[in-house]
């Protein structure tokens, strides 16, 4: 984003702070084997983002945050415009290892596993209800891809009146340009974009009533 474009956003008052609320949760979007494999649906900085998310997940566990993971899961022969655009998605069936959450991120009892067929982890799922039942008002977002399912999830989180916080080191995309543009756009319109270090510092502050 060049200075001229950024100045338009500033002049129009975009980029105001939404901040954190009182009760965060962690939502990890589509960090599955297929998106960690450049020969399937991955590439770019996604492996680095998964590695950073190992640290974020550990901090979320220490803070006793609710944790949800999303997966794309299609029934065989499913009819989907999403699959028309990205045909490889149609192979992500329940029993296909490419649709399984990467082993680096341990799923524990009590975590939500959100199976979805559209970009947003909220669309057509019970994620919003699951978060509301736990009193959540802030959604920390990690996952892939930044310009696709992460962005769609952040927009819907804001639409449900959660405060999204995108953990910049913990989201990845197969190409840098859409990754960078999407981080800028999300930070200007839909939520906060913070580094892993900033998020860890907040989670480790005793005064944060997230426990």
């Amino acid at each position: 984003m060049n200075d001229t474009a950024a100045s338009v956003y500033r002049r129009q008052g975009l980029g105001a702070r939404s901040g954190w609320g009182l009760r965060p949760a962690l939502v990890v979007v589509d960090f599955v084997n297929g998106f960690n494999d450049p020969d399937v649906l991955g590439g770019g900085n996604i492996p680095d983002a998964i590695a950073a998310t190992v640290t974020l997940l550990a901090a979320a566990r220490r803070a006793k945050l609710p944790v949800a993971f999303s997966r794309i899961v299609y029934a065989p022969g499913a009819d989907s415009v999403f699959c028309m655009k990205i045909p490889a998605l149609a192979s992500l069936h329940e029993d296909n290892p490419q649709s399984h959450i990467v082993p680096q991120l341990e799923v524990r009892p009590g975590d939500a596993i959100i199976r979805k067929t559209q970009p947003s982890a909220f669309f057509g799922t019970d994620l919003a209800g699951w978060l509301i039942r736990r009193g959540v008002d802030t959604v920390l977002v990690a996952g892939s891809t930044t310009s696709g399912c992460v962005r769609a999830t952040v927009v819907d989180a804001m639409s449900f009146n959660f405060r999204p916080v995108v953990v910049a080191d913990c989201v990845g995309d197969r190409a840098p340009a859409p990754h960078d543009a999407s981080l800028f756009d999300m930070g200007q319109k839909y939520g906060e974009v913070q580094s892993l270090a900033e998020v860890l510092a907040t989670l480790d502050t005793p005064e944060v009533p997230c426990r």
Side-chain angles (χ1 to χ4, degrees), residues 101-117:
I101 295 163
V102 295
Q104 299 96 308
L105 302 176
E106 179 190 5
V107 179
R108 295 184 181 177
D111 295 345
I113 306 298
I114 305 298
R115 291 164 172 82
K116 66 188 185 73
T117 59

Side-chain angles (χ1 to χ4, degrees), residues 2 9 12 41 105 131 143 147 151 172:
N2 60 44
Y9 284 75
Q12 295 182 356
L41 289 161
L105 302 176
L131 294 169
S147 62
R151 187 181 186 280

Side-chain angles (χ1 to χ4, degrees), residues 6-8 23 29 42 50 56 64 73-74 81 94-95 107 145 153 157 159 171 183 205 207:
S7 67
V8 172
R23 176 64 172 167
V29 180
I50 290 173
L56 175 63
K64 297 181 170 55
V73 178
Y74 284 102
V81 174
E94 180 65 41
D95 59 353
V107 179
T145 61
T153 297
S159 299
V171 295
L183 285 179
T205 301
E207 289 76 19

Side-chain angles (χ1 to χ4, degrees), residues 38-62:
D39 292 329
V40 182
L41 289 161
N45 65 340
I46 293 174
D48 291 338
I50 290 173
T53 302
V54 172
T55 300
L56 175 63
L57 180 60
R61 303 290 194 202
R62 290 194 300 272

Side-chain angles (χ1 to χ4, degrees), residues 4-197:
T4 301
S7 67
V8 172
Y9 284 75
R10 287 194 299 270
R11 185 176 69 251
Q12 295 182 356
L14 279 75
R17 296 295 306 278
S18 52
W20 291 52
L22 298 178
R23 176 64 172 167
L26 173 61
V27 175
V28 181
V29 180
D30 297 356
F31 269 159
V32 299
N33 293 318
F35 280 93
N36 195 33
D37 186 342
D39 292 329
V40 182
L41 289 161
N45 65 340
I46 293 174
D48 291 338
I50 290 173
T53 302
V54 172
T55 300
L56 175 63
L57 180 60
R61 303 290 194 202
R62 290 194 300 272
K64 297 181 170 55
L65 269 59
V67 176
F69 297 87
S70 74
R71 301 169 51 199
I72 297 175
V73 178
Y74 284 102
D79 182 14
S80 167
V81 174
F82 200 16
C83 293
M84 291 179 184
K85 295 297 295 181
I86 311 175
L89 293 176
S91 68
L92 298 182
H93 306 149
E94 180 65 41
D95 59 353
N96 182 351
Q98 299 293 350
S99 77
H100 296 172
I101 295 163
V102 295
Q104 299 96 308
L105 302 176
E106 179 190 5
V107 179
R108 295 184 181 177
D111 295 345
I113 306 298
I114 305 298
R115 291 164 172 82
K116 66 188 185 73
T117 59
Q118 303 301 328
S120 171
F122 287 93
F123 188 92
T125 77
D126 186 42
L127 178 57
W130 187 85
L131 294 169
I132 290 168
R133 289 193 297 275
R134 285 153 181 80
V136 169
D137 60 6
T138 302
V139 179
L140 309 180
V141 182
S144 63
T145 61
T146 315
S147 62
C149 295
V150 167
R151 187 181 186 280
T153 297
V154 167
V155 172
D156 276 359
M158 184 273 300
S159 299
F160 278 107
N161 227 27
F162 298 110
R163 301 185 192 204
V165 178
V166 182
V167 189
D169 306 272
C170 298
V171 295
D173 211 315
R174 59 183 63 87
H179 170 80
D180 293 339
S182 295
L183 285 179
F184 177 86
D185 190 60
M186 289 186 288
Q188 293 296 311
K189 298 177 184 174
Y190 306 116
E192 304 293 337
V193 176
Q194 296 186 349
S195 70
L196 176 59

